[in-house]
Amino acid sequence: MKLSKAQYDEIAQFLGHVQPTRQSLRKLKEKFPSQSQSTLLSIFSQEYQKQIKRTHAKHHTAEAVETYYQRYLNGVMKNAAAPVLLELANEVDFAPSLMARIVLERFLQEREQAIPSKTLINSMLRDPSQIPDGVLANQVYQCTVNDCCYGPLVDCIKHAIGHEHEVLLREMLLEKNLSFIAEDQLRAKGYDKTPDFILEVPVAVEGHIIHWIESKASFGDESSHQAYLQDQFWSYWNRVQESAFPGQISCIKGDTVYGTGVTRVFLCGYQKVIHSL
Amino acid sequence: MAAVLELLLREEVAVGAVLRWLRQGPGHRPAEENHIHDKLVSLSLLQKDFVPFLLNFLREQTSQILTNGPSTPAKTPNSKAHGSQRTGSERRAGHATSSRVQLFSQRTSVTSCTTDTSFSPAAASSGSSSFSGSNLSSPCSDFPSMASSSSPSFGYSPVLNHSERRSSQKASLGSFLTATPEALPVRRGRRKGGSAVSASGRQVPRDMGRSLAEEEDGKNDSPSWSGGRRKRSEVPLVSARSPPSQLNLNNLEEFPPMGAASGWTNKSKPSRRINPTPVSAERPLSKPKTCFTSTPVSQSPTARFSSGSSLEAFSTVQEGNLTSAISSSLQEEREMLKKERCKLLHQASSPAGISLDPGTPTKPSYTRSASLPAESHLVTCADPAKISCKKQLECLAQLYSSCIAENLVPNIFLELFFVLQLLTSKGTSTAEEEEESDLEVNEGSKNASGRQHFRSVHNCVYFAVQVLDYQYEIISHLEKGTLKFLAENERIASFSPTLHERLKQAYESSTAKVSLLLPCSVQSVSFQPETDNRSNFPSDRAFHIFKKQRDIFYELLREWEDNHEKTGWDFERVLGNKIRAMMAHLSATCNHSHFARLFQKQLIQMCKGPVGGGASWGDTPDQDVLNMLGPDNLSRLKRLQERFVVPQSIRGPCPPPSFPGCQQFFRDFILSAGSYQFNQHLVDSLCLKILELDGLTLVEHEHSDGEADMDEQDEKKRFTVVLLSLRLLAKFLGFLVFLPYRTVEQPTRDLQDSAVALRNQTLPVLDVLKLLRRSIRDHRSILTVPWIVEFLSLADHIAPFLDYYRKVFCLLLQVYRLMVLSEDKEMSFLNKLLILAVLGWLFQVPSVPEELFFATDVRQEGVMVDTVTSAQALDSVPLVDQQLLYTCCPYLGELRKLLASFVAGSGAKNGGFIRKITPTAAESLAPKASVTQRKLQVELEQAFFHNQPPSLRRTVEFVAERVGSNCVKHIKATLVAELVQRAEVMLQDKVKEEDANHDKLLEEVCAHLYEEGAQALIKGREFCKKKGPEAVRVLLPEETSAAVLSSAEDIAVELATEKACGWLSANIAALIKREVKATFNRMLKVPGLPLPSEEALELRRDCPPGCQHRAPFPSQIINEIKDVLCVAVGPRDEDEVIDHDWLESLLGRLSQTLRCRKFMCPTSEQQLAKCTVELASLLVSDRVPLSAGIKPPEKSSERLRVKNNPTYGLLKLLLSVWKEDFGMPVPVQLMFSRKNIGYLSEVKQREWDLFLFMLHGLVEHDLMRTSEIESCLRSLGELPWPSDFLKELEMLSRVFTSEHHREEPRTNPRELTRQSLGTVTAQS
């Protein structure tokens, strides 16, 4: 399924400054009924991440943290059952999971009189039952569950998608009778950085020679392509040359966005990413 | 200069300050933040002269003590003409002139004829630079300065007097002096005359030098002193050969007649305990034409191409041959050997040449190599307790070491040689006494730099050991033999135990065994069929004539081969006319280009082996004999041979360029042919080949598979071959290019100016500057610099002054300066060391002017060094090993020889290190027959290929290469992998036992496997035997005859086996170890070794049989559950509900998804488990707004309500999914977490029955045990709940406990729930 650049832009524009809640996602689905939920979610998530990256710093100043914490304390004092943290996050345009993290960190710091370790924070976010304050535990859980762009649950979903598509891709390669070396084999051979698959015998797709395939569990927009190129593809390229990069859901070339799920990617369009960007 | 040193020695200025001051000097980056010491600021003009001054100072200071040793050949600017030959004392004299006698420095620079126009004013005006000009001076300059001695009052002004007069004097004096006719006769006399002449020739200056030295020492200011010194040092080159000043003229042993000398030499070597046996006595005079026999050992030094004229060198060859009489008896042979040696020694000290040879009998007490027991008592034992002026010595050592470390000295190995000389210096007891008195005298003197810091052996050794300590890194990269001598040096041991320890370690860990006499493959004269093609020739006639030319050429070659060693055989006389006739034919048919190509190919083929300065195969006694011994014994024999021949002739670390071995033939051929056309074609051909080789990609950018080790080895080999070929070609190119301009003497200033003006108009034949620049830019200097050095080493006297070559030299100088030795990413240590060694050598070559090094403003030519190192940068690949380093720079071996001779000399006394060589009979060597057979076999193979099309050979070699490589891969994938697996099991067991010493454990396991690794060879052989023939058969034409095919197969198999097994036997152990280690590390890295319990829990299930993998993706399910949780946790809209049926179907799909394992990964499953527990908690606490299809009737009985409550169904579903479908334990205990129980506590009308139902369900489904639940409930009770909730909780707990203890086996759970709930409500 291909997605035109115009459509993509429309979606992206609609997203503008929405909050990462299921309500927003629901609205998005209503607005673009022709797109699959996963495509929309992926675009949403990426657009939102861009936005967060821009504003991340300002939410982490000492003053901001203090303000948020005080507001949280006041809020729960009034009504512990109210979604204090979530509303606070929405109000200041910040991801609820990240807001939960800030407040939790601040809370622990006050309680333990020391800066808590990252692992502890992460583990508490994953399982709020460990948070020693019942009210905060509820608040944090509410935030992480409601956040559709950040947080342990979303991370897990993304991971799961990545895994599933790798399996699918493998299936397809087998089906097409293409000999490949998979990541674990590559690792065993001592490759330091590996794509998902290296084709033992390169194939030509749309006039491009494909040496390797990397499946990404995210929407392949321009900026994420760039980012991936930075940290991964060039290092693959140094090792195995050209590649195919089926953005798991889609990827952009020129003004066309290919909404190719991996399932169809192999049939209808590997992108020679290195050259398309 | 002296002022600076003075400040340092008086400790007014710290060493660091001097260094900063030095760095600030021209050619170095300006000191940014560095504060220059106030006292040094005023001396800033002198920076560039300081290093030469320092070197000079050291040489001067040590001259006394080093009289015994070979002089350090130094072409430092302070030294005079052919500084490389000057003895310490002469240098000292030179220094005196430079630093104290203005006149002489002026004059020397005048006579040197080297003052170039662009000479920087600063340099010109300062004492030592002008002095450095004199270094350049060739013999001609000697004479004039002789004249100068007659007018000692002429000059002598203080060091720092920058005279402006000089410029006016320069020209006239120079031209006058060089014109002096006497110069030539003297020079000739030296050349032609044998040792006797030279011996007598040097007596005079020595005598003078000695008397003057004695008179003047310590009294620096006497003009006559410098005059005398000057005189002595400027006596024609004979003096160069002369040992240092303290020679006893009356000592017969020092100046014996020739025969006596040799006899004495023989006597004086008791420690060698080798009776020379005629190794090659039976050597036939005529040899099979395939074997290019070697010249006698002594031959190559004779053949050394002296800087003067090739023809002169030529004549020395003949002279040499005169002595090599054919001997039949052993006695005669011995006699001959003696003579040879004697001659060799004298030649070694010949003009171009080098240091005082140790073998030359000088004063007995000083003879280095002679270890007469009688004289051993004279060797002073260096005693750390007797060191005087320790502080100053330390200062000097530090300063000196820093100069070496920063490449401020022209040749680091020269300095190391000097240091080793100091280390091995031998004072006598008498000398020591003198010293002491001298020291006292010196104490009086206020001039700190004038004081003699090095008058005692103790001081010298102390200084040397200090410097060696600083230079440890370089030293530790030397070959093993040198390290051994250093490690065993008792002086180092007593002066610095730590250095001794480090050296010992370095020696023990060193693998750099180098044989200077390399076994090299001497190939038969091979015809080059591809040049035969008729289509290459314009006419049949030309074709046929060329065929004839080739035959003639090989005929000449064979004749030379067979006869050139014979007495009286003269190349020009015997071959000259034949060659010229052949050239005439070539000209007639314009076949020069073909012949040039043949000539060049033959040159490469015959000389590409590691031929270095005099230590080539050509020097070995008999290649046939050596070949027969097999590689192992061969190298041993060669080492033995080295001990026979090589150590005696210490030539110093800077021999002039030479044409050893077969190169001689080619050089002589060019000279005799004297054909302009031929030379031109040859130049073209050489240039082409050089460009081709220089541009080769030698290192593939990266290795993608497992054969990296082997490729690396091959790459190294290839690099070595290419580098040596390039050097050879470049040398001949340099020879040809500069041949027309070669002069015997340094031309006069006028001539030089006009020549420079003329030649500046011509273009260089090969744009070495461009190539050099490119190589620096591309990080390929390791390949390019060595051959450019060879090319330039043959430059005539004028070439370095041409604009073009000046730029080249400047660039090389910059490379030299930048190449500070350290291990870094940019360039491996040994690569740098090679470049430094060859450049250092170049700077010492006679025709290279010295002021180049010190006076050239390095910044002239910007080196554009890219900081970005590409993967292909040759420089960064460790391509050079010690073998290649010593092959390219055989003169580095001089360091070892020097140490060896010291051991020989002191051996009798310390009873130490001389090892007896027990002659072993030839029979005990490897089975001779088989070795001979093997050699024959090789020859047969060569012959076989000779007669076949070249493609056959290529095919066989290709097959061998590939099969060999595949074999290694196969072994790695099978045998090694298997062994590694076993190792893994072994390690896993042991690691659990004791996690203490991993290294030891690893060692143990590996040692266990090594034995099995030996199987690799057997398997490898099998593999090659199986695969080789298959491949050959497929690749060769169908029509190939059976016999040829089978031969080709056999050869391919043999070669492949050799390659594979060679690699395997050398590397299998290391390979196993590496792999096991990697596996082990991986094992340790994996957090927590898989515990048995975990393994059991995380059993990976397979899909149920017949699974279509159509279940929804886990990610989808997680997403959906997440949505449910969202709604349940809120915030939600008022009317927002979750459809009960939809939720039910979601749980159904969850079940499907969990059953199909295909897309499931542990994280997904874990998340699903967690989410479902959360969901259950929310359901239990009635937090999920379900839109039930049928709303439970409000007022029905409780029993009915429970039955109809749809939540029960969902919980039941969940319980069964947890039990049946999850492949991992579900964290059901999370239900009892404070947060989840909290949901319950917040509900106004608590529905305990759902919770209780859940508890029973958990027990029922074996998800939790009763006791677990009880303890969970108990711990819940300890939390701060509202009191009413706490009461209910307690009650619930009691109910649950009582029911489960009472009812066992249970009846209908729902009934039970009902009953118990009834009691709960009743009680509350």
Side-chain angles (χ1 to χ4, degrees), chain B residues 1120-1135:
Chain B
E1120 288 181 43
I1121 295 180
K1122 177 176 173 274
D1123 284 346
V1124 177
L1125 292 175
C1126 271
V1127 176
V1129 170
R1132 57 174 179 259
D1133 299 343
E1134 281 300 313
D1135 54 345

Side-chain angles (χ1 to χ4, degrees), chain B residues 1131-1149:
Chain B
R1132 57 174 179 259
D1133 299 343
E1134 281 300 313
D1135 54 345
E1136 208 169 8
V1137 285
I1138 288 171
D1139 187 72
H1140 171 266
D1141 295 339
W1142 176 81
L1143 189 54
E1144 203 171 56
S1145 89
L1146 172 62
L1147 294 182
R1149 279 180 287 143

